[in-house]
Amino acid sequence: MRATMAAESIPGMTAGFARGATQWVRGYGYADLENKVPATAISAYRYASVQKPMTAVAVLQLVERGKIDLDADIREYLPYFPNKGHRITPRQLLGHIGGIPDYASEADEHLTEHKTTREAIALFADRALIAEPGTRFKYTSYGYNLLGAAIETVSGKAYGDYMREHIWGPAGMASTRMEDPAALIPNRVRGYRFVDGQVRNSQFVDVSSRFAAGASRGTVPDLLRFGTALSEGRLIGPASMTLMRTPMRTRDGKIAGFPRTDGYAMGWSVLGQGKDSLLFHDGGQPETRTMLIVDPQARLTVASAQNYERDIHPPLAFALYAAATARRSRSNRPEPGRSRRRRRIGRRRIRLERPRRSGQRRSARSSRTPRPSRSRSNVRSVAPST
């Protein structure tokens, strides 16, 4: 961690893992570089697109309660959304095969005004579909905003209120909240970017327009609590969990998802198959990069967050996953700052690339990673530290 942060000029980062009652979390560098405020285990980062799995869990909860039909037209829940001439379903939106466009320009991503749900939907409501629903994988935050609006319609609650009552609260995620630039948020980190060879403050962006796709803030321990609650079956039932690990398919039968993965399921990129699959998602937006890895079978969750707009986080998170499973080879440790990394874990080789983010326009194209073998007995109980 320290070597990579030094090589990449990362101001601050928090990372950790949890398996059962064992949790290890540590902060590195600075939450506020100018005032030399250290990053700690409880530093609060923008979550960005690691919020999408949380939205997917919320949708599946409402499916279990008979409030949402995965194969209904989304306009049944959002009659104000224009008719596109095709049925667009929640199932398709969860897997990014609904034909909804993504951000068209940097201007779409750098809004400074607060947006309500209706205003956030209006940003793309009149744009044409990029393909007939069900025929093409296209990662899009706008599609998850449609799902967030549907959650509000059927629950009768604001998206943030529903998440607090049914996802964040039950999972014990006490620090997680919707982002609000005007609110006083404990342990909020400052964001940074790299411009002309120097670290600079991030530009101000109000992310309320991404409300269900990436507009929350919280801590790495809360991300670990989310993964643990999901793995332990405290948020959704077994049938819904099966859907979350089953890659989507386009109409021609091809698996939908990013290259070098085993497909995109409902809210997750997937590595492996069936109960042995590994779920992961990353996020990126102004001020932040995040990563979340969940291994439901091993009840292991790994998470990281940095206050820096450079895409070096996925290799670090997978390296932490390897270390947590006691399969890391010291002789094959990846060199910090390299864009392509290889390491042998057990008898398999993991290829760790610096992918483009799966959040927003610079989406993460996470590497196709063979499923690492696990060790269930080599994680010591370690108290969270800063």
Side-chain angles (χ1 to χ4, degrees):
M1 291 286 294
R2 291 190 180 98
T4 301
M5 290 182 68
E8 300 286 348
S9 303
I10 303 171
M13 175 179 281
T14 302
F17 72 88
R19 179 152 62 188
T22 300
Q23 184 182 98
W24 176 89
V25 183
R26 186 163 183 170
Y28 298 85
Y30 294 101
D32 182 333
L33 191 58
E34 290 173 302
N35 297 297
K36 296 297 184 283
V37 178
T40 71
I42 57 172
S43 292
Y45 299 81
R46 281 182 171 178
Y47 279 163
S49 287
V50 297
Q51 186 180 330
K52 287 184 174 69
M54 302 176 198
T55 296
V57 170
V59 170
L60 289 172
Q61 282 184 345
L62 292 165
V63 171
E64 291 177 346
R65 296 166 189 162
K67 300 289 188 180
I68 290 180
D69 180 349
L70 285 174
D71 298 308
D73 192 320
I74 194 65
R75 296 186 70 251
E76 292 187 19
Y77 311 109
L78 307 175
Y80 58 84
F81 187 69
N83 187 339
K84 301 297 183 179
H86 299 280
R87 175 190 293 261
I88 302 170
T89 69
R91 186 189 302 274
Q92 293 167 341
L93 294 172
L94 285 165
H96 300 289
I97 57 173
I100 301 298
D102 194 17
Y103 301 122
S105 65
E106 287 193 7
D108 285 352
E109 299 186 70
H110 292 77
L111 302 177
T112 58
E113 310 87 9
H114 183 82
K115 299 293 184 183
T116 65
T117 296
R118 291 289 290 266
E119 289 170 340
I121 300 301
L123 291 173
F124 64 94
D126 293 330
R127 298 182 185 179
L129 299 180
I130 55 98
E132 183 178 342
T135 64
R136 176 184 168 189
F137 176 81
K138 173 63 175 177
Y139 184 89
T140 167
S141 290
Y142 288 149
Y144 267 69
N145 276 352
L146 290 175
L147 293 169
I151 290 170
E152 292 188 338
T153 298
V154 302
S155 70
K157 301 177 182 295
Y159 171 84
D161 292 340
Y162 181 90
M163 299 300 288
R164 183 169 52 254
E165 294 176 23
H166 298 276
I167 306 293
W168 301 335
M173 301 166 65
S175 76
T176 301
R177 63 181 72 196
M178 298 302 289
E179 173 72 306
D180 184 348
L184 300 179
I185 298 179
N187 306 302
R188 187 205 297 259
V189 304
R190 295 193 63 175
Y192 302 93
R193 55 187 176 139
F194 198 65
V195 180
D196 296 330
Q198 293 183 310
V199 175
R200 298 294 189 188
N201 287 314
S202 293
Q203 292 178 309
F204 171 72
V205 173
D206 187 314
V207 294
S208 57
S209 62
R210 319 174 190 207
F211 71 103
S216 58
R217 183 183 287 268
T219 65
V220 165
D222 269 12
L223 291 178
L224 299 178
R225 293 181 184 107
F226 170 69
T228 298
L230 186 63
S231 296
E232 293 179 349
R234 291 190 276 122
L235 297 178
I236 52 176
S240 294
M241 194 65 202
T242 297
L243 289 175
M244 292 204 83
R245 59 163 62 101
T246 303
M248 304 290 285
R249 292 181 180 270
T250 52
R251 191 176 302 164
D252 58 5
K254 295 181 180 179
I255 291 178
F258 296 112
R260 300 176 297 280
T261 72
D262 290 310
Y264 194 97
M266 295 187 176
W268 299 96
S269 282
V270 178
L271 296 172
Q273 297 179 354
K275 293 183 178 180
D276 198 43
S277 57
L278 188 72
L279 309 177
F280 70 97
H281 212 292
D282 75 330
Q285 61 186 213
E287 297 189 19
T288 195
R289 297 290 188 270
T290 52
M291 186 74 181
L292 179 62
I293 303 171
V294 177
D295 187 337
Q297 190 74 355
R299 305 291 172 87
L300 172 65
T301 301
V302 173
S304 67
Q306 66 186 50
N307 58 350
Y308 195 40
E309 299 171 25
R310 295 189 77 177
D311 298 331
I312 52 80
H313 50 302
L316 279 175
F318 276 106
L320 183 56
Y321 175 86
T325 52
R327 293 292 183 181
R328 184 174 186 174
S329 171
R330 293 177 62 87
S331 62
N332 291 288
R333 184 173 299 164
E335 298 177 15
R338 295 288 299 278
S339 63
R340 292 179 180 270
R341 301 166 175 138
R342 288 182 180 270
R343 159 170 353 104
R344 187 169 297 281
I345 296 179
R347 296 182 178 178
R348 299 186 179 185
R349 179 176 287 278
I350 283 187
R351 181 188 182 103
L352 299 181
E353 297 187 0
R354 181 185 302 163
R356 297 168 62 195
R357 310 188 264 118
S358 65
Q360 285 51 309
R361 290 178 65 239
R362 299 177 198 145
S363 298
R365 304 297 191 262
S366 296
S367 54
R368 185 178 183 85
T369 307
R371 183 74 161 83
S373 54
R374 305 189 192 92
S375 171
R376 297 173 182 263
S377 60
N378 290 306
V379 179
R380 297 178 298 162
S381 293
V382 181
S385 65
T386 57

